Amino acid sequence: MAGKSCNILITGTNRGLGLEMVKQLAEKPIPNRKIFACCRDPSAPKAQSLQELAKKHPGVIHVIRLDVNDLSSIQESAKKVGSIVGKDGLNLLVNNAAMLPWDNTETLKLKDLQDTLNTNVVGTMMVTKEFLPYLREAAKSSGKAGMSCCKAAVINISSSGGIISRAPKTIPLFPVVAVSYRLSKAALNMMTVCQAQEFKVDGILFTLLHPGWVRTDMGGPDGEIDASESVSSMLRVMESLTEKNNGAFLDYKGETLPW
């Protein structure tokens, strides 16, 4: 992901995969990098680990308040980031923020369904929309052909839970359906394919990544891999992406997933 500049923004960085991604990117020997680590409330106790990490990497990690469910918060964060990156623009946007209520179609609560769709789909769409000018700026200023994460890219963190063709086999593996989450990830997949087609003229790469079943607060203690393995693997995949992967749905090992 190296280039004349490397400006990266990640949502949902106060815990789990987001926090681990900030940590690993900060430790990589990438010149001229700025990592914008976004979370809903940077002053909350839940963000303490992120703040401590930022202190270890001054000038590299910039902690930004961004609530994906609040349009004004998204717009304010975009202005702040834009004022820092300037004409270099934003090279990589990782839409990681998400929520997972354990529900099924009979017992789900309307608010949980609405909140999940707002966070996992609508919020992600609005974040991309507001940061689009800076992604375009990065693509223009890169002077590079093709598509890549060091030029201009959006990585939407999805899930195998959104794979419709696998649902009959995967649903019975869990005690509840997690229907709100599954619906949101299926919608996120379609949204990303639409974005990939719409913005390919700008040279911006859009790719979906499934991080695996990870042992985090969201994934639970029974996950198959830890956050460190998931993130290190996803970063390797990101570094390998080209225009051939525009609109693709890949897992953390780089293998293509079905829809």
Side-chain angles (χ1 to χ4, degrees), residues 140-204:
K140 288 179 183 178
S141 65
S142 72
K144 299 174 182 177
M147 294 179 174
S148 69
C149 286
C150 63
K151 181 180 179 179
V154 177
I155 303 297
N156 289 331
I157 303 300
S158 188
S159 168
S160 61
I163 299 176
I164 296 173
S165 60
R166 288 185 181 177
K169 292 183 179 180
T170 60
I171 287 174
L173 299 178
F174 298 92
V176 290
V177 176
V179 64
S180 297
Y181 182 77
R182 289 177 181 274
L183 287 172
S184 72
K185 291 304 183 180
L188 176 69
N189 292 353
M190 175 56 80
M191 182 190 79
T192 305
V193 172
C194 292
Q195 291 170 324
Q197 294 304 308
E198 185 174 353
F199 301 115
K200 64 182 178 181
V201 66
D202 297 299
I204 303 171

Side-chain angles (χ1 to χ4, degrees), residues 110-130:
L110 177 60
K111 187 177 186 305
D112 286 344
L113 175 60
Q114 291 174 329
D115 287 348
T116 304
L117 291 172
N118 283 337
T119 299
N120 299 0
V121 187
V122 179
T124 297
M125 181 178 286
M126 297 312 297
V127 168
T128 303
K129 179 177 181 292
E130 294 301 325

Side-chain angles (χ1 to χ4, degrees), residues 44-250:
K46 290 183 179 181
Q48 183 177 351
S49 296
L50 176 61
Q51 293 288 3
E52 291 174 354
L53 184 61
K55 290 178 182 178
K56 293 179 182 179
H57 301 275
V60 174
I61 298 175
H62 301 257
V63 179
I64 304 289
R65 180 186 177 275
L66 192 162
D67 182 350
V68 299
N69 287 317
D70 182 348
L71 181 57
S72 63
S73 170
I74 297 171
Q75 292 171 333
E76 288 171 11
S77 66
K79 289 179 182 178
K80 185 171 184 178
V81 171
S83 69
I84 298 172
V85 300
K87 292 183 179 180
D88 289 331
L90 182 65
N91 302 100
L92 178 62
L93 166 60
V94 181
N95 283 309
N96 167 72
M99 63 176 291
L100 192 171
W102 289 99
D103 54 12
N104 58 43
T105 56
E106 182 178 3
T107 63
L108 71 81
K109 297 177 181 177
L110 177 60
K111 187 177 186 305
D112 286 344
L113 175 60
Q114 291 174 329
D115 287 348
T116 304
L117 291 172
N118 283 337
T119 299
N120 299 0
V121 187
V122 179
T124 297
M125 181 178 286
M126 297 312 297
V127 168
T128 303
K129 179 177 181 292
E130 294 301 325
F131 282 92
L132 186 61
Y134 310 118
L135 289 160
R136 281 189 171 126
E137 193 67 40
K140 288 179 183 178
S141 65
S142 72
K144 299 174 182 177
M147 294 179 174
S148 69
C149 286
C150 63
K151 181 180 179 179
V154 177
I155 303 297
N156 289 331
I157 303 300
S158 188
S159 168
S160 61
I163 299 176
I164 296 173
S165 60
R166 288 185 181 177
K169 292 183 179 180
T170 60
I171 287 174
L173 299 178
F174 298 92
V176 290
V177 176
V179 64
S180 297
Y181 182 77
R182 289 177 181 274
L183 287 172
S184 72
K185 291 304 183 180
L188 176 69
N189 292 353
M190 175 56 80
M191 182 190 79
T192 305
V193 172
C194 292
Q195 291 170 324
Q197 294 304 308
E198 185 174 353
F199 301 115
K200 64 182 178 181
V201 66
D202 297 299
I204 303 171
L205 173 71
F206 283 80
T207 303
L208 291 150
L209 282 186
H210 165 51
W213 184 13
V214 190
R215 291 186 291 272
T216 60
D217 290 345
M218 180 180 291
D222 299 323
E224 297 173 340
I225 57 175
D226 60 24
S228 176
E229 180 182 353
S230 173
V231 168
S232 63
S233 298
M234 285 195 291
L235 290 178
R236 282 194 294 272
V237 172
M238 289 183 205
E239 290 171 357
S240 72
L241 297 176
T242 70
E243 59 274 12
K244 294 179 181 179
N245 307 114
N246 191 38
F249 184 15
L250 309 174

